[in-house]
Short mmCIF file of all heavy atoms in Angstrom, two decimals:
data_model
loop_
_atom_site.label_atom_id
_atom_site.label_comp_id
_atom_site.label_asym_id
_atom_site.label_seq_id
_atom_site.Cartn_x
_atom_site.Cartn_y
_atom_site.Cartn_z
N MET A 1 -13.62 -46.19 -59.57
CA MET A 1 -12.56 -45.88 -60.53
C MET A 1 -11.28 -46.60 -60.15
O MET A 1 -10.79 -46.44 -59.04
CB MET A 1 -12.30 -44.37 -60.56
CG MET A 1 -13.42 -43.59 -61.25
SD MET A 1 -13.05 -41.86 -61.35
CE MET A 1 -13.19 -41.40 -59.62
N PRO A 2 -10.80 -47.42 -61.02
CA PRO A 2 -9.63 -48.23 -60.66
C PRO A 2 -8.33 -47.43 -60.72
O PRO A 2 -8.17 -46.55 -61.56
CB PRO A 2 -9.63 -49.33 -61.72
CG PRO A 2 -10.31 -48.71 -62.90
CD PRO A 2 -11.28 -47.71 -62.37
N ILE A 3 -7.44 -47.76 -59.81
CA ILE A 3 -6.08 -47.24 -59.87
C ILE A 3 -5.17 -48.37 -60.29
O ILE A 3 -5.19 -49.44 -59.69
CB ILE A 3 -5.64 -46.68 -58.50
CG1 ILE A 3 -6.49 -45.48 -58.13
CG2 ILE A 3 -4.16 -46.30 -58.53
CD1 ILE A 3 -6.16 -44.93 -56.76
N TYR A 4 -4.42 -48.17 -61.35
CA TYR A 4 -3.55 -49.21 -61.86
C TYR A 4 -2.09 -48.86 -61.58
O TYR A 4 -1.72 -47.70 -61.51
CB TYR A 4 -3.73 -49.40 -63.37
CG TYR A 4 -5.10 -49.93 -63.74
CD1 TYR A 4 -5.96 -49.18 -64.52
CD2 TYR A 4 -5.50 -51.18 -63.30
CE1 TYR A 4 -7.21 -49.67 -64.87
CE2 TYR A 4 -6.74 -51.67 -63.65
CZ TYR A 4 -7.60 -50.92 -64.43
OH TYR A 4 -8.83 -51.41 -64.77
N ASP A 5 -1.30 -49.90 -61.46
CA ASP A 5 0.15 -49.72 -61.34
C ASP A 5 0.78 -49.82 -62.72
O ASP A 5 0.47 -50.73 -63.49
CB ASP A 5 0.74 -50.82 -60.44
CG ASP A 5 0.37 -50.60 -58.99
OD1 ASP A 5 0.31 -49.44 -58.57
OD2 ASP A 5 0.15 -51.59 -58.29
N TYR A 6 1.67 -48.89 -62.99
CA TYR A 6 2.35 -48.90 -64.28
C TYR A 6 3.86 -48.83 -64.06
O TYR A 6 4.33 -48.35 -63.04
CB TYR A 6 1.91 -47.70 -65.13
CG TYR A 6 0.49 -47.80 -65.62
CD1 TYR A 6 -0.54 -47.25 -64.87
CD2 TYR A 6 0.19 -48.46 -66.79
CE1 TYR A 6 -1.85 -47.35 -65.30
CE2 TYR A 6 -1.13 -48.57 -67.22
CZ TYR A 6 -2.14 -48.02 -66.48
OH TYR A 6 -3.43 -48.13 -66.89
N ALA A 7 4.57 -49.32 -65.04
CA ALA A 7 6.03 -49.21 -65.02
C ALA A 7 6.49 -48.73 -66.38
O ALA A 7 5.99 -49.17 -67.42
CB ALA A 7 6.67 -50.55 -64.69
N CYS A 8 7.47 -47.82 -66.35
CA CYS A 8 8.01 -47.27 -67.59
C CYS A 8 9.13 -48.18 -68.09
O CYS A 8 10.06 -48.50 -67.34
CB CYS A 8 8.53 -45.86 -67.34
SG CYS A 8 9.42 -45.19 -68.75
N ASP A 9 9.02 -48.58 -69.33
CA ASP A 9 10.05 -49.42 -69.92
C ASP A 9 11.37 -48.67 -70.12
O ASP A 9 12.43 -49.26 -70.15
CB ASP A 9 9.58 -49.93 -71.28
CG ASP A 9 9.07 -51.35 -71.19
OD1 ASP A 9 9.06 -51.90 -70.08
OD2 ASP A 9 8.69 -51.91 -72.23
N ASP A 10 11.28 -47.37 -70.28
CA ASP A 10 12.47 -46.61 -70.64
C ASP A 10 13.36 -46.31 -69.44
O ASP A 10 14.58 -46.44 -69.52
CB ASP A 10 12.07 -45.30 -71.31
CG ASP A 10 11.39 -45.56 -72.66
OD1 ASP A 10 11.67 -46.60 -73.26
OD2 ASP A 10 10.58 -44.73 -73.09
N CYS A 11 12.76 -45.89 -68.32
CA CYS A 11 13.58 -45.50 -67.17
C CYS A 11 13.30 -46.35 -65.95
O CYS A 11 13.97 -46.22 -64.94
CB CYS A 11 13.38 -44.02 -66.85
SG CYS A 11 11.76 -43.63 -66.18
N GLY A 12 12.28 -47.22 -66.01
CA GLY A 12 12.01 -48.11 -64.89
C GLY A 12 11.15 -47.52 -63.80
O GLY A 12 10.90 -48.17 -62.79
N THR A 13 10.71 -46.28 -63.97
CA THR A 13 9.88 -45.65 -62.97
C THR A 13 8.54 -46.37 -62.83
O THR A 13 7.92 -46.72 -63.83
CB THR A 13 9.61 -44.17 -63.35
OG1 THR A 13 10.84 -43.47 -63.32
CG2 THR A 13 8.62 -43.52 -62.39
N LYS A 14 8.14 -46.59 -61.60
CA LYS A 14 6.83 -47.18 -61.36
C LYS A 14 5.91 -46.10 -60.80
O LYS A 14 6.32 -45.30 -59.97
CB LYS A 14 6.94 -48.35 -60.38
CG LYS A 14 7.74 -49.48 -60.99
CD LYS A 14 7.78 -50.68 -60.08
CE LYS A 14 8.55 -51.80 -60.79
NZ LYS A 14 8.74 -52.96 -59.97
N PHE A 15 4.69 -46.09 -61.26
CA PHE A 15 3.74 -45.08 -60.79
C PHE A 15 2.33 -45.63 -60.86
O PHE A 15 2.05 -46.63 -61.53
CB PHE A 15 3.88 -43.80 -61.62
CG PHE A 15 3.66 -43.98 -63.10
CD1 PHE A 15 2.43 -43.69 -63.67
CD2 PHE A 15 4.67 -44.44 -63.92
CE1 PHE A 15 2.22 -43.85 -65.04
CE2 PHE A 15 4.47 -44.62 -65.28
CZ PHE A 15 3.24 -44.32 -65.84
N GLU A 16 1.45 -44.97 -60.12
CA GLU A 16 0.04 -45.35 -60.12
C GLU A 16 -0.74 -44.32 -60.90
O GLU A 16 -0.41 -43.14 -60.90
CB GLU A 16 -0.49 -45.42 -58.69
CG GLU A 16 0.12 -46.52 -57.87
CD GLU A 16 -0.42 -46.52 -56.46
OE1 GLU A 16 -0.97 -45.50 -56.03
OE2 GLU A 16 -0.28 -47.55 -55.79
N LYS A 17 -1.78 -44.79 -61.54
CA LYS A 17 -2.60 -43.88 -62.33
C LYS A 17 -4.06 -44.22 -62.15
O LYS A 17 -4.47 -45.37 -62.25
CB LYS A 17 -2.20 -44.01 -63.82
CG LYS A 17 -2.91 -43.04 -64.72
CD LYS A 17 -2.28 -41.67 -64.67
CE LYS A 17 -2.96 -40.74 -65.68
NZ LYS A 17 -2.45 -39.36 -65.57
N LEU A 18 -4.81 -43.19 -61.86
CA LEU A 18 -6.26 -43.35 -61.77
C LEU A 18 -6.84 -43.29 -63.17
O LEU A 18 -6.64 -42.31 -63.89
CB LEU A 18 -6.83 -42.24 -60.89
CG LEU A 18 -8.33 -42.23 -60.66
CD1 LEU A 18 -8.74 -43.43 -59.81
CD2 LEU A 18 -8.73 -40.95 -59.95
N ILE A 19 -7.51 -44.36 -63.55
CA ILE A 19 -8.04 -44.43 -64.91
C ILE A 19 -9.54 -44.21 -64.88
O ILE A 19 -10.29 -45.01 -64.34
CB ILE A 19 -7.73 -45.79 -65.55
CG1 ILE A 19 -6.22 -46.01 -65.59
CG2 ILE A 19 -8.32 -45.87 -66.95
CD1 ILE A 19 -5.45 -45.00 -66.39
N ARG A 20 -9.97 -43.09 -65.43
CA ARG A 20 -11.40 -42.79 -65.44
C ARG A 20 -12.07 -43.30 -66.69
O ARG A 20 -13.23 -43.65 -66.70
CB ARG A 20 -11.62 -41.28 -65.30
CG ARG A 20 -11.51 -40.83 -63.85
CD ARG A 20 -11.33 -39.33 -63.77
NE ARG A 20 -10.04 -38.93 -64.32
CZ ARG A 20 -9.25 -38.00 -63.78
NH1 ARG A 20 -9.63 -37.38 -62.70
NH2 ARG A 20 -8.10 -37.69 -64.32
N LYS A 21 -11.32 -43.33 -67.76
CA LYS A 21 -11.87 -43.92 -68.98
C LYS A 21 -10.75 -44.59 -69.78
O LYS A 21 -9.58 -44.26 -69.61
CB LYS A 21 -12.60 -42.88 -69.82
CG LYS A 21 -11.87 -41.57 -69.98
CD LYS A 21 -12.76 -40.60 -70.73
CE LYS A 21 -12.01 -39.35 -71.15
NZ LYS A 21 -11.83 -38.37 -70.08
N GLU A 22 -11.17 -45.52 -70.62
CA GLU A 22 -10.19 -46.35 -71.32
C GLU A 22 -9.21 -45.51 -72.14
O GLU A 22 -8.06 -45.85 -72.29
CB GLU A 22 -10.92 -47.34 -72.23
CG GLU A 22 -11.44 -48.57 -71.49
CD GLU A 22 -10.32 -49.34 -70.79
OE1 GLU A 22 -9.31 -49.64 -71.45
OE2 GLU A 22 -10.46 -49.64 -69.60
N ALA A 23 -9.68 -44.41 -72.68
CA ALA A 23 -8.83 -43.59 -73.54
C ALA A 23 -7.62 -43.08 -72.75
O ALA A 23 -6.54 -42.90 -73.31
CB ALA A 23 -9.62 -42.42 -74.10
N GLU A 24 -7.82 -42.86 -71.45
CA GLU A 24 -6.71 -42.38 -70.64
C GLU A 24 -5.62 -43.44 -70.53
O GLU A 24 -4.43 -43.13 -70.56
CB GLU A 24 -7.21 -42.03 -69.24
CG GLU A 24 -7.39 -40.55 -69.03
CD GLU A 24 -7.89 -40.26 -67.63
OE1 GLU A 24 -9.12 -40.25 -67.43
OE2 GLU A 24 -7.07 -40.05 -66.75
N ALA A 25 -6.03 -44.69 -70.39
CA ALA A 25 -5.06 -45.77 -70.26
C ALA A 25 -4.26 -45.95 -71.54
O ALA A 25 -3.13 -46.42 -71.52
CB ALA A 25 -5.79 -47.07 -69.91
N ALA A 26 -4.82 -45.56 -72.65
CA ALA A 26 -4.15 -45.76 -73.93
C ALA A 26 -3.19 -44.62 -74.27
O ALA A 26 -2.41 -44.73 -75.21
CB ALA A 26 -5.19 -45.90 -75.04
N ASN A 27 -3.25 -43.54 -73.50
CA ASN A 27 -2.42 -42.38 -73.82
C ASN A 27 -1.52 -41.99 -72.66
O ASN A 27 -1.35 -40.82 -72.37
CB ASN A 27 -3.31 -41.19 -74.21
CG ASN A 27 -4.00 -41.44 -75.53
OD1 ASN A 27 -3.35 -41.64 -76.55
ND2 ASN A 27 -5.32 -41.45 -75.52
N LEU A 28 -0.98 -42.98 -72.00
CA LEU A 28 -0.14 -42.71 -70.85
C LEU A 28 1.28 -42.37 -71.27
O LEU A 28 1.80 -42.93 -72.23
CB LEU A 28 -0.10 -43.93 -69.93
CG LEU A 28 -1.35 -44.17 -69.10
CD1 LEU A 28 -1.22 -45.49 -68.37
CD2 LEU A 28 -1.56 -43.05 -68.11
N ASP A 29 1.88 -41.46 -70.51
CA ASP A 29 3.32 -41.28 -70.65
C ASP A 29 3.95 -41.26 -69.27
O ASP A 29 3.29 -41.10 -68.26
CB ASP A 29 3.67 -40.03 -71.45
CG ASP A 29 3.04 -38.78 -70.87
OD1 ASP A 29 2.43 -38.88 -69.80
OD2 ASP A 29 3.15 -37.73 -71.50
N CYS A 30 5.24 -41.47 -69.26
CA CYS A 30 5.97 -41.59 -68.00
C CYS A 30 6.08 -40.22 -67.34
O CYS A 30 6.47 -39.25 -67.99
CB CYS A 30 7.35 -42.16 -68.27
SG CYS A 30 8.42 -42.17 -66.83
N PRO A 31 5.75 -40.12 -66.03
CA PRO A 31 5.83 -38.83 -65.34
C PRO A 31 7.28 -38.37 -65.16
O PRO A 31 7.52 -37.20 -64.87
CB PRO A 31 5.16 -39.11 -63.99
CG PRO A 31 5.29 -40.57 -63.79
CD PRO A 31 5.24 -41.19 -65.17
N ARG A 32 8.22 -39.26 -65.32
CA ARG A 32 9.61 -38.90 -65.10
C ARG A 32 10.34 -38.56 -66.40
O ARG A 32 10.96 -37.51 -66.52
CB ARG A 32 10.33 -40.05 -64.39
CG ARG A 32 11.78 -39.73 -64.08
CD ARG A 32 12.36 -40.83 -63.20
NE ARG A 32 13.81 -40.73 -63.14
CZ ARG A 32 14.61 -41.70 -62.71
NH1 ARG A 32 14.07 -42.84 -62.30
NH2 ARG A 32 15.89 -41.55 -62.67
N CYS A 33 10.25 -39.45 -67.40
CA CYS A 33 11.02 -39.23 -68.62
C CYS A 33 10.12 -38.91 -69.82
O CYS A 33 10.62 -38.55 -70.87
CB CYS A 33 11.89 -40.45 -68.92
SG CYS A 33 10.97 -41.88 -69.52
N GLY A 34 8.82 -39.02 -69.63
CA GLY A 34 7.91 -38.71 -70.73
C GLY A 34 7.81 -39.82 -71.77
O GLY A 34 7.17 -39.65 -72.80
N GLY A 35 8.44 -40.95 -71.47
CA GLY A 35 8.41 -42.06 -72.41
C GLY A 35 7.01 -42.63 -72.57
O GLY A 35 6.16 -42.52 -71.69
N LEU A 36 6.79 -43.24 -73.71
CA LEU A 36 5.47 -43.77 -74.02
C LEU A 36 5.40 -45.28 -73.87
O LEU A 36 4.37 -45.89 -74.13
CB LEU A 36 5.07 -43.37 -75.45
CG LEU A 36 4.95 -41.86 -75.67
CD1 LEU A 36 4.70 -41.56 -77.14
CD2 LEU A 36 3.84 -41.27 -74.82
N HIS A 37 6.52 -45.89 -73.51
CA HIS A 37 6.52 -47.34 -73.37
C HIS A 37 6.13 -47.73 -71.96
O HIS A 37 6.98 -48.01 -71.10
CB HIS A 37 7.91 -47.90 -73.73
CG HIS A 37 8.37 -47.49 -75.11
ND1 HIS A 37 9.47 -46.71 -75.32
CD2 HIS A 37 7.83 -47.75 -76.32
CE1 HIS A 37 9.61 -46.51 -76.64
NE2 HIS A 37 8.62 -47.13 -77.26
N ILE A 38 4.84 -47.72 -71.72
CA ILE A 38 4.31 -47.95 -70.38
C ILE A 38 3.65 -49.32 -70.33
O ILE A 38 2.86 -49.66 -71.20
CB ILE A 38 3.28 -46.87 -70.02
CG1 ILE A 38 3.88 -45.48 -70.18
CG2 ILE A 38 2.77 -47.08 -68.60
CD1 ILE A 38 5.08 -45.19 -69.34
N ASN A 39 4.00 -50.08 -69.32
CA ASN A 39 3.38 -51.38 -69.13
C ASN A 39 2.54 -51.38 -67.87
O ASN A 39 2.97 -50.89 -66.83
CB ASN A 39 4.45 -52.47 -69.00
CG ASN A 39 5.09 -52.78 -70.33
OD1 ASN A 39 4.40 -52.89 -71.35
ND2 ASN A 39 6.40 -52.91 -70.34
N ARG A 40 1.37 -51.93 -67.95
CA ARG A 40 0.55 -52.07 -66.76
C ARG A 40 1.04 -53.29 -65.98
O ARG A 40 1.22 -54.36 -66.53
CB ARG A 40 -0.91 -52.25 -67.12
CG ARG A 40 -1.80 -52.15 -65.89
CD ARG A 40 -3.20 -51.76 -66.29
NE ARG A 40 -4.05 -52.94 -66.35
CZ ARG A 40 -5.27 -52.93 -66.89
NH1 ARG A 40 -5.74 -51.84 -67.43
NH2 ARG A 40 -5.98 -54.02 -66.91
N GLU A 41 1.27 -53.09 -64.70
CA GLU A 41 1.74 -54.18 -63.87
C GLU A 41 0.54 -54.95 -63.32
O GLU A 41 -0.51 -54.37 -63.03
CB GLU A 41 2.56 -53.63 -62.70
CG GLU A 41 3.71 -52.76 -63.14
CD GLU A 41 4.99 -53.17 -62.47
OE1 GLU A 41 5.08 -52.96 -61.26
OE2 GLU A 41 5.88 -53.69 -63.15
N LEU A 42 0.73 -56.23 -63.15
CA LEU A 42 -0.33 -57.02 -62.53
C LEU A 42 -0.41 -56.66 -61.06
O LEU A 42 0.61 -56.61 -60.37
CB LEU A 42 -0.03 -58.51 -62.68
CG LEU A 42 -0.02 -59.01 -64.12
CD1 LEU A 42 0.41 -60.47 -64.16
CD2 LEU A 42 -1.39 -58.86 -64.74
N SER A 43 -1.61 -56.38 -60.59
CA SER A 43 -1.74 -56.03 -59.18
C SER A 43 -1.70 -57.29 -58.33
O SER A 43 -2.35 -58.28 -58.64
CB SER A 43 -3.03 -55.26 -58.95
OG SER A 43 -4.11 -55.96 -59.51
N LEU A 44 -0.93 -57.21 -57.28
CA LEU A 44 -0.77 -58.36 -56.40
C LEU A 44 -1.64 -58.20 -55.17
O LEU A 44 -1.97 -57.08 -54.79
CB LEU A 44 0.70 -58.47 -55.97
CG LEU A 44 1.69 -58.65 -57.13
CD1 LEU A 44 3.11 -58.51 -56.62
CD2 LEU A 44 1.49 -59.99 -57.79
N PRO A 45 -2.03 -59.30 -54.56
CA PRO A 45 -2.78 -59.20 -53.31
C PRO A 45 -1.98 -58.46 -52.26
O PRO A 45 -0.74 -58.51 -52.25
CB PRO A 45 -2.98 -60.67 -52.88
CG PRO A 45 -2.70 -61.48 -54.09
CD PRO A 45 -1.77 -60.67 -54.96
N ALA A 46 -2.68 -57.74 -51.40
CA ALA A 46 -2.00 -56.91 -50.42
C ALA A 46 -1.15 -57.74 -49.47
O ALA A 46 -0.08 -57.32 -49.05
CB ALA A 46 -3.01 -56.10 -49.62
N ALA A 47 -1.63 -58.91 -49.11
CA ALA A 47 -0.90 -59.75 -48.16
C ALA A 47 -0.48 -61.04 -48.86
O ALA A 47 -1.22 -61.57 -49.68
CB ALA A 47 -1.78 -60.07 -46.96
N PRO A 48 0.68 -61.55 -48.53
CA PRO A 48 1.08 -62.83 -49.10
C PRO A 48 0.17 -63.95 -48.63
O PRO A 48 -0.43 -63.88 -47.57
CB PRO A 48 2.50 -63.03 -48.58
CG PRO A 48 2.73 -61.99 -47.55
CD PRO A 48 1.68 -60.94 -47.71
N LEU A 49 0.08 -65.00 -49.44
CA LEU A 49 -0.84 -66.08 -49.13
C LEU A 49 -0.57 -66.70 -47.78
O LEU A 49 -1.49 -67.03 -47.05
CB LEU A 49 -0.75 -67.17 -50.21
CG LEU A 49 -1.51 -66.88 -51.51
CD1 LEU A 49 -1.27 -68.01 -52.51
CD2 LEU A 49 -3.00 -66.76 -51.22
N SER A 50 0.69 -66.84 -47.42
CA SER A 50 1.02 -67.56 -46.20
C SER A 50 0.45 -66.86 -44.97
O SER A 50 0.07 -67.50 -44.00
CB SER A 50 2.54 -67.70 -46.06
OG SER A 50 3.14 -66.42 -46.07
N SER A 51 0.37 -65.52 -45.00
CA SER A 51 -0.11 -64.81 -43.82
C SER A 51 -1.63 -64.78 -43.76
O SER A 51 -2.21 -64.40 -42.77
CB SER A 51 0.43 -63.38 -43.80
OG SER A 51 -0.19 -62.62 -44.82
N GLN A 52 -2.28 -65.18 -44.87
CA GLN A 52 -3.73 -65.20 -44.84
C GLN A 52 -4.26 -66.49 -44.22
O GLN A 52 -5.40 -66.57 -43.80
CB GLN A 52 -4.29 -65.07 -46.26
CG GLN A 52 -4.06 -63.68 -46.85
CD GLN A 52 -4.50 -63.59 -48.30
OE1 GLN A 52 -4.82 -64.60 -48.92
NE2 GLN A 52 -4.50 -62.39 -48.84
N GLN A 53 -3.42 -67.52 -44.20
CA GLN A 53 -3.89 -68.81 -43.73
C GLN A 53 -4.12 -68.81 -42.22
O GLN A 53 -5.11 -69.31 -41.74
CB GLN A 53 -2.89 -69.90 -44.11
CG GLN A 53 -2.92 -70.17 -45.62
CD GLN A 53 -1.75 -71.00 -46.09
OE1 GLN A 53 -0.83 -71.27 -45.31
NE2 GLN A 53 -1.74 -71.37 -47.35
N SER A 54 -3.22 -68.24 -41.47
CA SER A 54 -3.42 -68.16 -40.03
C SER A 54 -2.68 -66.96 -39.49
O SER A 54 -1.48 -66.80 -39.74
CB SER A 54 -2.93 -69.44 -39.34
OG SER A 54 -1.53 -69.57 -39.55
N MET A 55 -3.40 -66.12 -38.77
CA MET A 55 -2.76 -64.96 -38.19
C MET A 55 -2.06 -65.37 -36.91
O MET A 55 -2.67 -65.97 -36.02
CB MET A 55 -3.80 -63.88 -37.87
CG MET A 55 -4.21 -63.08 -39.10
SD MET A 55 -2.84 -62.11 -39.78
CE MET A 55 -2.70 -60.84 -38.53
N PRO A 56 -0.81 -65.08 -36.76
CA PRO A 56 -0.10 -65.41 -35.53
C PRO A 56 -0.54 -64.49 -34.40
O PRO A 56 -1.02 -63.38 -34.64
CB PRO A 56 1.36 -65.18 -35.89
CG PRO A 56 1.31 -64.15 -36.98
CD PRO A 56 0.03 -64.40 -37.75
N THR A 57 -0.41 -64.97 -33.18
CA THR A 57 -0.74 -64.12 -32.04
C THR A 57 0.51 -63.69 -31.30
O THR A 57 0.46 -62.84 -30.43
CB THR A 57 -1.68 -64.84 -31.05
OG1 THR A 57 -1.09 -66.09 -30.71
CG2 THR A 57 -3.04 -65.09 -31.69
N THR A 58 1.63 -64.32 -31.60
CA THR A 58 2.90 -63.84 -31.08
C THR A 58 3.92 -63.87 -32.19
O THR A 58 3.69 -64.47 -33.24
CB THR A 58 3.42 -64.70 -29.90
OG1 THR A 58 3.87 -65.94 -30.45
CG2 THR A 58 2.36 -64.94 -28.86
N CYS A 59 5.03 -63.25 -31.94
CA CYS A 59 6.04 -63.19 -32.99
C CYS A 59 7.05 -64.32 -32.83
O CYS A 59 8.01 -64.40 -33.56
CB CYS A 59 6.74 -61.84 -32.98
SG CYS A 59 7.44 -61.40 -31.37
N GLY A 60 6.82 -65.21 -31.85
CA GLY A 60 7.75 -66.33 -31.68
C GLY A 60 8.68 -66.08 -30.50
O GLY A 60 8.25 -65.63 -29.45
N VAL A 61 9.92 -66.37 -30.68
CA VAL A 61 10.88 -66.24 -29.60
C VAL A 61 11.41 -64.83 -29.51
O VAL A 61 11.30 -64.05 -30.47
CB VAL A 61 12.06 -67.23 -29.80
CG1 VAL A 61 11.56 -68.65 -29.74
CG2 VAL A 61 12.77 -66.95 -31.10
N GLY A 62 11.95 -64.51 -28.33
CA GLY A 62 12.60 -63.22 -28.20
C GLY A 62 11.66 -62.17 -27.64
O GLY A 62 10.51 -62.46 -27.31
N PRO A 63 12.12 -60.96 -27.54
CA PRO A 63 11.31 -59.87 -26.99
C PRO A 63 10.18 -59.51 -27.95
O PRO A 63 10.20 -59.89 -29.12
CB PRO A 63 12.31 -58.72 -26.85
CG PRO A 63 13.38 -59.02 -27.85
CD PRO A 63 13.47 -60.52 -27.90
N SER A 64 9.20 -58.78 -27.43
CA SER A 64 8.07 -58.38 -28.24
C SER A 64 8.52 -57.65 -29.49
O SER A 64 9.43 -56.82 -29.45
CB SER A 64 7.15 -57.48 -27.42
OG SER A 64 6.18 -56.90 -28.26
N CYS A 65 7.85 -57.96 -30.58
CA CYS A 65 8.20 -57.29 -31.83
C CYS A 65 7.50 -55.94 -31.93
O CYS A 65 7.80 -55.15 -32.80
CB CYS A 65 7.80 -58.17 -33.01
SG CYS A 65 6.03 -58.50 -33.07
N GLY A 66 6.51 -55.70 -31.01
CA GLY A 66 5.84 -54.41 -31.02
C GLY A 66 4.64 -54.34 -31.94
O GLY A 66 3.95 -53.34 -31.98
N ALA A 67 4.38 -55.40 -32.67
CA ALA A 67 3.23 -55.38 -33.58
C ALA A 67 1.93 -55.41 -32.77
O ALA A 67 1.89 -55.95 -31.67
CB ALA A 67 3.27 -56.59 -34.50
N SER A 68 0.87 -54.82 -33.31
CA SER A 68 -0.37 -54.68 -32.55
C SER A 68 -0.97 -56.04 -32.24
O SER A 68 -1.68 -56.21 -31.25
CB SER A 68 -1.37 -53.83 -33.34
OG SER A 68 -1.59 -54.40 -34.62
N TRP A 69 -0.71 -57.03 -33.12
CA TRP A 69 -1.29 -58.35 -32.90
C TRP A 69 -0.45 -59.21 -31.98
O TRP A 69 -0.84 -60.30 -31.57
CB TRP A 69 -1.51 -59.06 -34.22
CG TRP A 69 -0.31 -59.02 -35.13
CD1 TRP A 69 -0.11 -58.16 -36.16
CD2 TRP A 69 0.87 -59.85 -35.08
NE1 TRP A 69 1.11 -58.41 -36.75
CE2 TRP A 69 1.72 -59.42 -36.12
CE3 TRP A 69 1.27 -60.90 -34.26
CZ2 TRP A 69 2.96 -60.02 -36.34
CZ3 TRP A 69 2.51 -61.49 -34.49
CH2 TRP A 69 3.34 -61.04 -35.52
N CYS A 70 0.73 -58.75 -31.62
CA CYS A 70 1.66 -59.59 -30.87
C CYS A 70 1.33 -59.56 -29.39
O CYS A 70 1.28 -58.50 -28.78
CB CYS A 70 3.10 -59.12 -31.09
SG CYS A 70 4.31 -60.15 -30.26
N GLN A 71 1.09 -60.74 -28.82
CA GLN A 71 0.71 -60.81 -27.41
C GLN A 71 1.92 -61.03 -26.50
O GLN A 71 1.80 -61.12 -25.31
CB GLN A 71 -0.31 -61.94 -27.19
CG GLN A 71 -1.64 -61.63 -27.88
CD GLN A 71 -2.61 -62.79 -27.85
OE1 GLN A 71 -2.34 -63.81 -27.25
NE2 GLN A 71 -3.74 -62.60 -28.49
N ARG A 72 3.07 -61.15 -27.07
CA ARG A 72 4.28 -61.36 -26.28
C ARG A 72 4.66 -60.07 -25.59
O ARG A 72 4.73 -59.01 -26.20
CB ARG A 72 5.41 -61.83 -27.19
CG ARG A 72 6.71 -62.07 -26.46
CD ARG A 72 7.73 -62.62 -27.41
NE ARG A 72 7.42 -63.97 -27.84
CZ ARG A 72 7.85 -65.07 -27.21
NH1 ARG A 72 8.61 -64.97 -26.13
NH2 ARG A 72 7.54 -66.25 -27.64
N LYS A 73 4.88 -60.17 -24.28
CA LYS A 73 5.25 -58.97 -23.52
C LYS A 73 6.73 -59.04 -23.15
O LYS A 73 7.21 -60.09 -22.83
CB LYS A 73 4.42 -58.85 -22.24
CG LYS A 73 2.94 -58.74 -22.52
CD LYS A 73 2.60 -57.43 -23.26
CE LYS A 73 1.13 -57.33 -23.54
NZ LYS A 73 0.83 -56.69 -24.82
ZN1 ZN B 101 10.23 -43.23 -67.87
#
């Protein structure tokens, strides 16, 4: 069951909605203002493209950034 991102045109609220059937997607209203002008947002990849090309093993210069992948001590 897909979860879609929606944005309300009236108040700008963004929310996620689990869509079990198409009829539900067609009858959405805003959880905040009740408006019916709801737009489905395009879902973006979780990670930006640049970070998918090569995972760094350190954070560069300076003290450790504390990230789990960072080997800088
Ligand atoms: Zn709204």
